[in-house]
Amino acid sequence: ASGDNFSNLFIERNSLADLCGTLSSGIERFDREISKAEALDAYIVVMVDDKYSNAIDYSSKKFNQKITGAHLFFEIRRLSEKYSNLQFIFSGSRNKSSELIKKILLMKDLAKEVDLEYLKDIGEL
């Protein structure tokens, strides 16, 4: 409809353990989903309910998964370079994720053009 504010912006919220599962055993399925979203002109923000530093130091032994922090960020970089319709942001907690999701959705299409992790880090998000 004319004047519609819908911006094809979607936020997928994950725990760190869920993200690690997605980027290890579920990577092929996730890659296909991002590709389909790109074909539909949809933009995906992956919101992780944990700190960036915890992801870097991630130990797969804790959660019985076959991924390390280094491999996790390798996959994040690979997907971010492959797709222009994808961003990852580490909120720090579930509560902070809820706050950030509201702010990102209010940004509408602008959220697709900025580095959300950077804006969060400098206190602008």
Side-chain angles (χ1 to χ4, degrees):
S2 177
D4 192 354
N5 289 330
F6 186 66
S7 67
N8 281 351
L9 174 65
F10 300 91
I11 300 176
E12 178 176 326
R13 189 171 170 179
N14 283 239
S15 69
L16 182 54
D18 288 342
L19 179 68
C20 290
T22 296
L23 296 184
S24 58
S25 60
I27 190 68
E28 293 85 11
R29 179 192 55 78
F30 189 59
D31 199 311
R32 284 190 308 271
E33 286 177 6
I34 299 165
S35 180
K36 287 177 186 176
E38 185 177 55
L40 296 170
D41 197 31
Y43 194 88
I44 301 169
V45 174
V46 178
M47 177 74 62
V48 184
D49 293 337
D50 213 322
K51 295 178 185 173
Y52 186 88
S53 58
N54 289 345
I56 291 172
D57 296 334
Y58 187 80
S59 169
S60 59
K61 292 178 181 84
K62 260 190 203 174
F63 297 101
N64 244 356
Q65 296 185 9
K66 299 173 184 175
I67 192 167
T68 63
H71 184 223
L72 175 70
F73 281 97
F74 170 81
E75 289 298 344
I76 287 172
R77 278 190 308 276
R78 184 184 69 77
L79 291 168
S80 296
E81 290 173 2
K82 183 175 180 180
Y83 297 105
S84 61
N85 67 322
L86 176 69
Q87 276 197 68
F88 292 83
I89 184 169
F90 291 81
S91 70
S93 70
R94 285 186 59 85
N95 288 340
K96 188 65 177 171
S97 287
S98 294
E99 293 172 27
L100 291 172
I101 287 168
K102 291 173 193 169
K103 291 177 182 179
I104 291 167
L105 291 174
L106 287 172
M107 293 174 73
K108 299 178 184 162
D109 285 336
L110 180 61
K112 302 173 187 180
E113 300 169 16
V114 297
D115 182 336
L116 296 169
E117 182 71 25
Y118 175 72
L119 288 180
K120 178 198 60 107
D121 288 348
I122 65 169
E124 295 292 319
L125 179 66

